[in-house]
Amino acid sequence: MAVVQYSDEAAVYFNLKTHRSKKAIIYAVRNLRHKGGRPRNTGAALQFVQDHVFTASSGSRRLEGVPQILFLMTGGQSNDDVSGAALNLKQMGVLSFAIGMKNAQQEELQNIAFSSKFLFNLPVFGELLSVQPELAAFVQAAIQTERPTVLESPQRDIVFLLDGSDDTRSDFTAMKSFVHRVVDALNVGEDNDRVSVVQYSRDPQTHFSLNTYTEKQDVLAAVQQLNHKGGRPLNTGAALNYVRNTAFVDSSGSRHQEGVPQILILLSGGRSEDDVASAAAALKQDKVVPFCVGTRNADILEQQMIADNPSYAFSVLRFDDIGSIDEQLVSFVKRVPHQQPRLTTQIGLGKTLSSLSLSLFLSFAT
């Protein structure tokens, strides 16, 4: 846990690795002193938390897939813009709760909160007690959930779903290079990792299935020979349904019945023209774990809805920059465990949580 207090500037009282016990954290919280100051710069404070709290040097385990949670408590409207910093946190996969009191602005809280379920606007500070049980239950359930294994699974079924619409024509070489690098980092083989590639725009098209190639060099050669599909509109929802019904099935080489992790890696350059929510939910119901990589023209909230959890949704300015997330994505992919019965607790957005990084964020501008 970490605690930050802000007014015109933000100050870290302790970071995520300062205290190792509940007793020490409670003692530190009880000794907090009011900061004071004007104005209230919530936007700058949100950016401060991203740059100085949710980082590895401060104890964040985001790169290990540990959920990152922010509780913002503010008593009024910000003097600066919050939208940019709030979006940056969402793109990082931080689940932000916005708790407004007294003179807080509803629209501003909506910008900050990860979803409407994570927004509380209270008339007075005393009403904090009314939401404390709900927030405490969320955290308690999260920390009591069994820690997932970090051992690499020896086998994975991985389907790449590539946006082949007209908008990605100039990006397709970079997209192929990304797929090539990810595949090259895998242990491809009939009894190891299997790979499939599907491209879509209006309609999806399978280039090769999970059981088409058994050697890595054959997969890499097939990736190099991919041609851009083209077409409009971008129907991501239909493509998600297609891979669920066509790619992740026994006849195409899927080993889902053996408990082999089923992984989808979606590369998208824009917002879908059709609904993705029901298709994404159906994939997750079938225990497919989606990862999403989108450019700035993609809808980050749509990407996070599709992804198995928000930290599995990556955002880059353009596909030429996609090399910056290669290692992180491969690391996450390799940590997807074999599907087996586990004691789990479902929280919030349907994510199974184990451990978490929690930042308590206080505004006490006078």
Side-chain angles (χ1 to χ4, degrees), residues 325-345:
I325 57 102
D326 283 4
E327 292 184 7
Q328 185 178 350
L329 185 140
V330 170
S331 175
F332 282 0
V333 165
K334 289 184 175 181
R335 288 171 182 266
V336 175
H338 236 66
Q339 297 169 8
Q340 54 189 355
R342 291 187 299 152
L343 177 62
T344 58
T345 302

Side-chain angles (χ1 to χ4, degrees), residues 238-252 282-283 286:
L240 293 175
N241 279 325
Y242 176 86
V243 294
R244 174 174 173 254
N245 296 321
T246 306
F248 291 110
V249 294
D250 296 349
S251 59
S252 294
L283 274 171
D286 285 355

